[in-house]
Amino acid sequence: MMLRRLLVIVLSVGFFVANAQNSHDPKMDAFIRELMSKMTLEEKLGQLNLPSVGFDVTGPIVSQGVEEKIKKGLVGGVFNTFTPNAVKKLQELAVNNSRLKIPLLFGYDVIHGHKTIFPINLGLAASWDMALVENVAKASAAEAAADGLNWVYSPMVDIARDPRWGRVSEGSGEDPYLGAEIAKAMVNGLQQGDLSKPTTVLATVKHFALYGAGEAGRDYNTVDMSRIRMFNEYFLPYKAAVDAGVGSVMTSFNEIEGVPASGNKWLLTDLLRKQWGYKGMIVSDYTSINEMMAHGMGDAKAVTELSLNAGMDMDMVGELFIGYGAELVKSGKVSIETIDAACRRILEAKYKLGLFKDPYLYVSEERAKAEIFSADKLALSKDAAVKSMVLLKNDQQILPLQTSQKVAFIGPLVNDQRNLIGSWSAAGDWKQAVSIQAALDAGNYKYTYAKGANLVEDPALLKRLNDHDGRIESDPLTSEKLIAQAVKVAKKADVVVAVLGEAFGMSGEAASRSDIGLPEHQQKLLKALKATGKPIVLVLMNGRPLTLSWEDQNMSAILETWFGGTKAGDAIVDVLYGKANPSGKLSMTFPRSVGQIPIYYNHKNTGRPMDENQKYTSKYLDIPNTPLYAFGHGLSYTQFTYGTPELSATSIQPNQKITLTVPVTNSGNYDGEEVVQLYIQDVVGSVTRPVQELKAFKKVKIAKGQTVQVSFDITVEDLKFYNADLTFDYEAGKFRAMVGTASDKVQTLTFDAVK
Ligand code: NOJ
């Protein structure tokens, strides 16, 4: 008895402490307490319900009778509804017809822009320009918030090291440090530190967690990972978003240590809430709670119980929380405190968004007119597209092109608009996209053109893509005829620009590929063009790293443009003709072949590092270990020459810094921007450490002929990692600092860390 009383006291003290931490806004707490005191259990569960109403669905259609449910207070938010008019209608149902008049959240996938589309996220990451990333997020938020939305499912920060996975296009690539910087910039851009502004939206970091580590690069697949790897290599970007104050977290489809994320108490409660101190709401992914049945976690009631008790707040589309929640509370399987906590977190989000003051804060026809496709957003779209491009190769300075040259533009993507905005451009209007051809015409460039190949030829793939709004038109001419026409055009030109790649639907969700080369019929075209002897500039559009070994050997230049967004055509033409100088750097390794996957720069050493002359070392018989294009690689039209780097001291003490300085000279013929990269290796550790890890970078503008001293401060914070006990600390000993233009082009210095 005594013991039980003591336990109650301890628990209530714990409760008050936890509550006190949440009470940053006493007014909000009082308001919500008062509101919740009036709510029935059904109404509380209603707040946890997130049906889809509207345009896009990415799974089975479950939501039905939503309007009636809204009136009954059985809906907390909806997603896939936007435009001021549509949002107003549903919001009115909630505010005028439901008993407690609680406004709805309106969520949507605003992934790389809302209406104005920016480059796909993998491309944006290649800019290594955090101010740009933040501006893009800010502009996306302003457009979305003017279109009725108050909640976006972005940023997607899953570390991805398997380019077969189509969703690598939505994230920032393979590196935890760069990924964390981008996560922070995006949350800051979307939320602007003030959710109540009519130009900001509630951000969602997703997919928590480890979604990018699915086996074999297959979407939704099983993940199995050690905790030490989770903490050192995969969690950083999620944590960075939490530290930046992200308002919501979306769980992933995959399992973690055998328990799917949407029912994983360790993940959602112990790690996210308790260890990381996250105070916001957690939402499932699309039917991911229901999908735990297929994972083998029990029937509908069992997975509902699992999810609620794990710490989930909102059920996206699944309708399980309103279906079984009340029964589970009544039978004592889920406590009312659990439901209250979830409901409170959703109401807090609404309060912070200012919805209780004005449910129509995000509904304004005037603002929609002013914000959507505004001139500044279109200019930003072009700037972002320029900065995301990566010049992979440029032999003999074939680029930039000269207007005096006879240029043949060849390929199915020269006059394409649909693909330019990429996948997950949910509300994007591809008809607004500027094709390369339109940009050439607008700029009065003289050029010739041939289609040369269909974008997709494999009939099964074509059908699949077109079933999902691919809009890929097939030319009635045979492949041979298209190639013959292109060869004829190429022969009369000085330079050929071949614009090839993937259809947008070949990357993104549910778009894994087992072969990540250019489609075979496109390669055939390139081979025929190569046989003309003309120099070829390959302009690529694609949503993932591709295998380009043949192209690298045979093309004069390769420009990676990803899917560049609404203004992609303008940006590409500016770069091709030297009005803009490319400065992007890869945020994800390009393998030589699929057989090397997973391949990433920050790998561990083996006990038998690769040695060509030794049989029993870690290597392939048929291919080098190195990638085709390394993480951080990207050329410029100018040349950057690195001088000798220096360290201000050779040992580092706690609470002190040492500074690494390197002179970088623009020794070429153009002004340009360079991303100077700093990597560190912990040479000896209590656990094995990666051969190099990005720890800092600076993007610097350097005018031609000029030298800039670039310096980085290094402190022991940069040396910390999670050890075998998952303690985050540094260890004394020897370190290497590597500075350079790419992960595989660095100069190395050594220093010691002292404890
Ligand atoms: C499923 C996707 O995994 C997620 O990223 C997206 O936000 C939701 N569908 C909602 O559309």
Side-chain angles (χ1 to χ4, degrees):
M1 191 63 188
M2 269 297 284
L3 197 70
R4 194 182 294 163
R5 194 170 301 153
L6 194 68
L7 200 68
V8 170
I9 293 169
V10 171
L11 285 179
S12 7
V13 169
F15 174 76
F16 283 122
V17 170
N19 228 19
Q21 280 173 1
N22 279 333
S23 300
H24 35 84
D25 182 350
K27 260 196 186 158
M28 174 177 81
D29 290 348
F31 176 86
I32 291 173
R33 203 177 312 121
E34 162 75 11
L35 177 59
M36 283 182 61
S37 71
K38 295 183 211 148
M39 292 173 82
T40 63
L41 174 59
E42 280 66 27
E43 284 167 337
K44 287 175 183 170
L45 289 165
Q47 288 304 306
L48 320 191
N49 190 25
L50 175 66
S52 159
V53 185
F55 316 93
D56 287 297
V57 285
T58 57
I61 298 165
V62 185
S63 320
Q64 262 156 23
V66 179
E67 298 199 357
E68 274 316 298
K69 284 182 189 143
I70 294 176
K71 288 191 208 161
K72 287 188 188 146
L74 297 181
V75 173
V78 297
F79 78 109
N80 290 332
T81 294
F82 57 92
T83 72
N85 193 27
V87 167
K88 190 160 169 263
K89 275 193 192 148
L90 289 188
Q91 194 68 298
E92 276 171 356
L93 286 183
V95 173
N96 299 339
N97 298 67
S98 74
R99 192 177 73 90
L100 293 170
K101 310 186 181 323
I102 301 174
L104 298 168
L105 289 172
F106 285 88
Y108 199 54
D109 286 288
V110 178
I111 309 299
H112 50 109
H114 179 54
K115 290 273 173 76
T116 307
I117 299 298
F118 301 98
I120 57 163
N121 304 74
L122 188 62
L124 194 59
S127 73
W128 296 51
D129 184 332
M130 296 309 112
L132 176 77
V133 172
E134 188 170 331
N135 279 337
V136 163
K138 189 177 168 187
S140 310
E143 236 184 29
D147 211 15
L149 298 163
N150 46 43
W151 184 23
V152 300
Y153 304 143
S154 170
M156 187 282 211
V157 305
D158 304 313
I159 295 295
R161 293 165 168 183
D162 192 329
R164 290 173 297 184
W165 189 45
R167 300 196 81 170
V168 303
S169 61
E170 282 175 65
S172 298
E174 73 195 34
D175 185 60
Y177 177 80
L178 181 62
E181 291 296 301
I182 292 173
K184 199 163 52 179
M186 287 193 69
V187 172
N188 289 340
L190 292 166
Q191 300 191 158
Q192 298 281 302
D194 182 359
L195 290 177
S196 70
K197 285 199 216 159
T199 49
T200 59
V201 288
L202 186 76
T204 309
V205 65
K206 69 187 191 186
H207 306 81
F208 193 59
L210 316 180
Y211 184 34
E215 287 178 358
R218 186 149 51 74
D219 211 354
Y220 318 119
N221 206 7
T222 307
V223 170
D224 192 7
M225 190 184 290
S226 66
R227 284 214 184 170
I228 197 166
R229 177 168 247 188
M230 293 181 202
F231 278 87
N232 281 321
E233 300 171 39
Y234 280 77
F235 280 162
L236 262 72
Y238 307 111
K239 172 84 165 44
V242 168
D243 292 344
V246 73
S248 70
V249 170
M250 186 187 293
T251 57
S252 55
F253 289 115
N254 54 280
E255 65 175 68
I256 289 148
E257 295 180 323
V259 181
S262 298
N264 195 314
K265 190 166 190 196
W266 171 73
L267 187 75
L268 304 187
T269 298
D270 299 345
L271 178 72
L272 181 61
R273 293 204 186 282
K274 293 193 181 148
Q275 201 173 321
W276 292 358
Y278 175 64
K279 306 272 191 303
M281 55 184 267
I282 303 178
V283 61
S284 77
D285 202 343
Y286 199 110
T287 60
S288 67
I289 305 172
N290 313 54
E291 289 168 30
M292 289 200 284
M293 292 188 261
H295 277 281
M297 305 304 290
D299 62 11
K301 210 195 312 171
V303 297
T304 310
E305 178 187 335
L306 192 66
S307 188
L308 282 167
N309 284 334
M312 180 70 78
D313 298 328
M314 212 170 193
D315 172 4
M316 185 190 283
V317 178
E319 305 250 298
L320 290 180
F321 285 7
I322 55 162
Y324 296 95
E327 193 183 327
L328 287 165
V329 170
K330 279 167 201 155
S331 65
K333 293 270 173 57
V334 174
S335 72
I336 185 65
E337 286 77 18
T338 299
I339 306 296
D340 280 352
C343 177
R344 187 180 308 116
R345 288 189 283 254
I346 291 157
L347 295 175
E348 281 175 1
K350 294 182 178 184
Y351 186 95
K352 288 179 191 158
L353 284 164
L355 288 172
F356 286 109
K357 275 197 190 139
D358 180 3
Y360 305 104
L361 186 64
Y362 303 88
V363 175
S364 155
E365 293 285 359
E366 296 75 57
R367 228 154 20 86
K369 265 189 213 121
E371 292 280 4
I372 293 172
F373 290 125
S374 63
D376 57 331
K377 289 190 192 65
L378 292 172
L380 184 62
S381 166
K382 179 174 167 187
D383 189 36
V386 165
K387 290 185 171 146
S388 69
M389 280 181 227
V390 184
L391 184 61
L392 295 172
K393 174 178 179 180
N394 193 20
D395 269 3
Q396 271 126 41
Q397 305 269 311
I398 186 88
L399 284 178
L401 303 170
Q402 310 301 319
T403 41
S404 56
Q405 286 170 313
K406 279 193 241 154
V407 185
F409 279 83
I410 291 173
L413 289 164
V414 174
N415 57 13
D416 179 88
Q417 289 177 284
R418 176 62 192 95
N419 291 284
L420 294 185
I421 63 171
S423 75
W424 270 127
S425 45
D429 181 358
W430 60 267
K431 289 184 200 119
Q432 303 285 332
V434 181
S435 71
I436 293 180
Q437 192 159 35
L440 288 168
D441 293 343
N444 286 322
Y445 290 91
K446 298 256 168 307
Y447 66 96
T448 51
Y449 164 75
K451 184 170 179 183
N454 284 312
L455 182 55
V456 176
E457 211 166 68
D458 169 18
L461 180 62
L462 189 65
K463 181 175 179 323
R464 230 179 238 262
L465 296 172
N466 279 343
D467 282 351
H468 292 276
D469 200 30
R471 292 172 189 269
I472 303 165
E473 283 164 22
S474 295
D475 203 283
L477 292 184
T478 62
S479 186
E480 289 68 32
K481 284 240 167 77
L482 286 170
I483 291 178
Q485 279 180 349
V487 166
K488 212 166 147 196
V489 172
K491 279 185 177 158
K492 291 190 195 130
D494 301 324
V495 188
V496 173
V497 176
V499 188
L500 298 171
E502 295 183 312
F504 80 92
M506 287 165 72
S507 55
E509 188 173 349
S512 297
R513 292 177 66 196
S514 70
D515 176 353
I516 56 169
L518 282 178
E520 215 180 302
H521 70 285
Q522 292 191 21
Q523 287 181 18
K524 254 194 207 156
L525 167 67
L526 280 183
K527 283 177 186 158
L529 293 173
K530 171 76 184 170
T532 65
K534 302 287 178 179
I536 307 172
V537 173
L538 175 60
V539 172
L540 289 170
M541 293 186 194
N542 47 282
R544 55 154 60 77
L546 300 175
T547 48
L548 299 166
S549 292
W550 183 88
E551 291 80 355
D552 181 66
Q553 275 164 26
N554 292 283
M555 301 291 104
S556 299
I558 306 180
L559 180 67
E560 175 58 79
T561 74
W562 315 106
F563 294 114
T566 308
K567 297 290 271 180
D570 286 333
I572 292 168
V573 169
D574 272 10
V575 169
L576 288 176
Y577 282 93
K579 283 192 180 162
N581 189 355
S583 60
K585 302 274 189 179
L586 296 179
S587 69
M588 196 168 175
T589 303
F590 274 45
R592 292 173 192 275
S593 95
V594 168
Q596 290 181 310
I597 296 170
I599 180 168
Y600 47 93
Y601 86 95
N602 44 356
H603 61 86
K604 305 275 188 84
N605 228 338
T606 69
R608 295 183 176 197
M610 147 107 164
D611 180 344
E612 271 303 341
N613 305 316
Q614 297 289 330
K615 176 171 169 63
Y616 296 101
T617 60
S618 182
K619 59 179 184 296
Y620 300 100
L621 291 176
D622 53 349
I623 201 170
N625 284 5
T626 53
L628 183 63
Y629 302 123
F631 175 85
H633 169 73
L635 306 172
S636 165
Y637 292 157
T638 196
Q639 262 77 53
F640 295 108
T641 311
Y642 281 66
T644 307
E646 278 173 15
L647 275 172
S648 60
T650 53
S651 80
I652 185 166
Q653 315 275 338
N655 306 319
Q656 275 183 8
K657 60 171 194 192
I658 58 172
T659 305
L660 183 150
T661 307
V662 63
V664 184
T665 302
N666 181 340
S667 49
N669 295 323
Y670 302 83
D671 296 344
E673 282 189 276
E674 166 73 335
V675 180
V676 183
Q677 302 159 39
L678 174 73
Y679 299 87
I680 290 181
Q681 181 191 15
D682 186 350
V683 182
V684 177
S686 59
V687 291
T688 58
R689 307 286 298 122
V691 294
Q692 56 184 154
E693 289 177 292
L694 183 71
K695 289 292 174 181
F697 59 87
K698 280 190 182 161
K699 188 162 188 175
V700 282
K701 275 198 180 124
I702 313 179
K704 68 176 167 190
Q706 276 194 347
T707 299
V708 168
Q709 301 290 334
V710 180
S711 34
F712 298 98
D713 290 339
I714 303 171
T715 72
V716 294
E717 288 307 309
D718 302 311
L719 313 180
K720 289 184 175 173
F721 64 97
Y722 291 90
N723 66 18
D725 303 325
L726 298 181
T727 305
F728 188 62
D729 202 359
Y730 76 100
E731 294 173 357
K734 188 175 160 193
F735 289 80
R736 292 195 181 107
M738 294 158 250
V739 68
T741 184
S743 64
D744 64 343
K745 287 189 189 64
V746 290
Q747 301 180 74
T748 303
L749 300 168
T750 56
F751 65 92
D752 289 303
V754 181
K755 267 242 152 166

